[in-house]
Amino acid sequence: MAFAQLSPNSKGANQATATLARLALHYIAPHFACSTPPSVQCSALHSRTPPIREPPTLRYCSAHPLPPSASYGQSSAAMDLRRRRLAMVAVWAATLTAVAEGFDILQILGKHDEFSQFCKLLNETHLAGDINRDRTITVLAVANGDMGHLTGGHYSLGTLRHILELHVVADYYDDKKLKQLSHAATAASTLFQRSGFAPGMAGYVNITQHRGGKVSFIVDDAADTVKPVTYVKQIESHRYDYSVLQVSGVLSSPEAEAPVAPPAPVNLTDILSKKYCKSFAGLLAADPKVFDTLNGTKDTALTIFCPVDTAVAAFMPKFKNLTAKAKTAILLYHTVPDYYSMQFLKSNKGKVTTLATTSVAKKDYTYEAESKEDTVTLDTTVVTSTIQATVRDDDPLAVYAVS
C-alpha cells in the first residue's frame, strides 16, 4: 500500500499550528515566494510500493523585499520592528507544523547512500512504521560497511527486527546531550525492551562517555567478549522529538539474536468466513489466481478491505456479467500489498495502491483513503466506502470489513 504525500491528523498540534499559521500567512505570505522541496527515498530500497513523498505543506521560502514603508504610513524603524515580529511568528508556525507532521525515518536515511542497507531492513521488518509513529526517540543507524552479519541472510525477519529494535532508543539523545553525559553509564530503554521479548534488562543499552569525548553503546546483556560500538556523528535531529545518529557497528545481544518462531499459519478463508465477509471469501476462493496471489502475500504484508455480505449481494448482478480478467481486477482492487494497522489508517490520508494496480498493466486501480472523526473512508471517485469493522489487525495481515 502506498500513501503518497502523507499528512498526519494530529488535532491538538494542528489547532495550535493553525492559529499561528493563519496570523503568519495573513501578513507575510504575500511577500514570499515558495517552492516545494524535492522528494527523497531510500536509495537502495526496492519496495513493493512507490516512495512516500514529503508533505507539500513543508516549504522552503525566500523573502522578496517589502514595499516601501511610506506606503503604509509608517516609519522605517517601525517597519523593521514589525518585520522582526512577523518573522518570529513565521518561525514558530513552521516549527509547530514540522512537529505536527512528524518525520519519516526512510526519507531521512534515504538522503544518505551509506545507510541504504540499514534503511532497507527497517522497511522489510516493518519497524520503520513503528519508528515514525513514536515520539521522543533516537535511532542508532549503521553504515553499509559496518552491517556485518545482518546482511548475510543468517537471521529470519523476526530476529532481524529484534536486533534492529535495539538500535531504537526510547529517549532523545543528540550530539550535545551525548557530550554532556557523565562518565558513568546511562541505561536507556529500547524498542526491544518494549516488545515484550526482552527478559530482565536485555532491552536496555548502556551509554557511556569516556575521557577524550568518545561515547560508546553496549547492550546490557552483551557477552563479555563483545566490544561496545561508538558514536560517529549526528545525522539529523529535531530537538526533544527525534534524533538519528550514526554508530560504528551493530549492537549485539544473545536475547535479540535468538531464533524467532515463525507465525502460525493463517487461513484466509477461515478468517474471512467467520464474520462480515463470507460472500467475498467465496469469490476469492473461486478465482485461483487471486487466491494464490493473496496466499503468497499474507505472510509478508497484506491488507484486505472486504465488502460486507450485503454489499457483495448488491453488486453481484454486475459482477456476473464481467469478463474473467475484470473479475480478477475487481477482487485484487480490494487488497493492498502492505500491512496497515487501524491506528495508521486513522492518522494518515492519501492514495492507496492496490494489488490490482501492480498486477494489471497500464491500469491505475487506486483510491483515496481518509479519516474523519475516527472513521476511515475509501473514495474510488465512483463510490465511497466506510470501514465498518476490524476483522483482523495483526502484523503482517490486516482485514477490514467495508460497506
Side-chain angles (χ1 to χ4, degrees):
M1 176 174 184
F3 278 89
Q5 300 182 345
L6 300 178
S7 297
N9 294 324
S10 175
K11 292 184 180 178
N14 283 344
Q15 287 173 354
T17 302
T19 303
L20 289 175
R22 282 196 298 269
L23 178 60
L25 291 175
H26 177 73
Y27 288 106
I28 301 177
H31 311 298
F32 279 71
C34 303
S35 59
T36 304
S39 358
V40 291
Q41 64 180 18
C42 204
S43 55
L45 187 64
H46 301 290
S47 174
R48 296 178 301 277
T49 58
I52 295 174
R53 299 187 181 279
E54 207 165 2
T57 49
L58 295 180
R59 298 176 183 271
Y60 300 91
C61 304
S62 57
H64 291 309
L66 289 168
S69 59
S71 64
Y72 291 94
Q74 294 175 313
S75 68
S76 177
M79 279 299 296
D80 287 342
L81 177 60
R82 184 168 179 266
R83 288 176 190 170
R84 288 196 296 271
R85 287 175 175 173
L86 292 177
M88 290 176 65
V89 172
V91 170
W92 292 338
T95 300
L96 283 175
T97 300
V99 173
E101 292 184 346
F103 75 108
D104 190 308
I105 186 61
L106 300 185
Q107 285 189 344
I108 292 172
L109 293 176
K111 302 172 188 176
H112 310 274
D113 290 342
E114 64 268 35
F115 301 108
S116 61
Q117 291 297 322
F118 190 82
C119 185
K120 181 172 181 288
L121 289 181
L122 289 181
N123 182 67
E124 290 179 350
T125 59
H126 305 295
L127 186 57
D130 291 344
I131 293 172
N132 294 342
R133 289 188 288 270
D134 216 320
R135 282 295 173 271
T136 315
I137 203 165
T138 301
V139 179
L140 306 177
V142 182
N144 295 342
D146 299 318
M147 289 288 283
H149 55 284
L150 282 195
T151 58
H154 304 297
Y155 298 116
S156 66
L157 279 179
T159 300
L160 283 172
R161 181 184 171 99
H162 287 172
I163 296 172
L164 292 173
E165 285 172 341
L166 288 173
H167 295 75
V168 186
V169 177
D171 200 352
Y172 177 82
Y173 288 91
D174 59 7
D175 184 84
K176 182 178 180 181
K177 186 173 179 180
L178 288 178
K179 291 177 179 177
Q180 291 176 342
L181 291 175
S182 63
H183 293 308
T186 298
S189 177
T190 68
L191 290 195
F192 182 49
Q193 185 68 28
R194 284 191 194 172
S195 71
F197 289 94
M201 297 287 286
Y204 281 83
V205 171
N206 293 321
I207 309 173
T208 308
Q209 187 198 62
H210 304 271
R211 288 193 179 120
K214 184 177 80 169
V215 177
S216 67
F217 300 80
I218 190 167
V219 182
D220 192 81
D221 75 331
D224 294 338
T225 56
V226 172
K227 293 182 179 180
V229 302
T230 57
Y231 168 62
V232 178
K233 66 181 180 183
Q234 179 172 293
I235 300 171
E236 186 171 318
S237 70
H238 189 287
R239 196 166 187 188
Y240 305 128
D241 189 16
Y242 69 86
S243 178
V244 184
L245 311 176
Q246 180 184 353
V247 293
S248 64
V250 176
L251 290 165
S252 177
S253 161
E255 294 294 342
E257 294 165 9
V260 176
V266 173
N267 188 312
L268 279 178
T269 304
D270 287 348
I271 292 173
L272 295 173
S273 298
K274 286 180 179 178
K275 202 173 184 181
Y276 303 109
C277 309
K278 187 174 182 179
S279 299
F280 187 68
L283 295 178
L284 294 179
D287 191 322
K289 181 180 179 181
V290 173
F291 199 72
D292 289 346
T293 299
L294 300 189
N295 268 319
T297 310
K298 63 181 172 60
D299 295 325
T300 305
L302 180 65
T303 299
I304 300 175
F305 296 106
C306 73
V308 294
D309 293 340
T310 53
V312 174
F315 187 69
M316 279 309 293
K318 292 182 180 179
F319 185 80
K320 288 178 180 179
N321 293 324
L322 296 175
T323 64
K325 185 176 181 180
K327 289 179 179 178
T328 296
I330 286 291
L331 295 176
L332 290 176
Y333 188 53
H334 292 80
T335 63
V336 176
D338 212 332
Y339 163 76
Y340 278 90
S341 65
M342 178 56 73
Q343 177 188 359
F344 187 85
L345 289 171
K346 287 182 177 179
S347 60
N348 294 275
K349 64 179 180 179
K351 182 177 288 187
V352 178
T353 297
T354 68
L355 275 171
T357 302
T358 59
S359 301
V360 181
K362 299 181 181 179
K363 293 287 185 180
D364 181 22
Y365 289 102
T366 61
Y367 41 83
E368 294 288 326
E370 187 174 4
S371 175
K372 288 183 178 179
E373 297 180 354
D374 216 34
T375 299
V376 178
T377 58
L378 309 173
D379 184 6
T380 70
T381 71
V382 178
V383 296
T384 299
S385 294
T386 302
I387 293 182
Q388 299 291 325
T390 299
V391 180
R392 181 189 176 96
D393 184 2
D394 187 8
D395 193 355
L397 175 65
V399 181
Y400 304 106
V402 299
S403 60

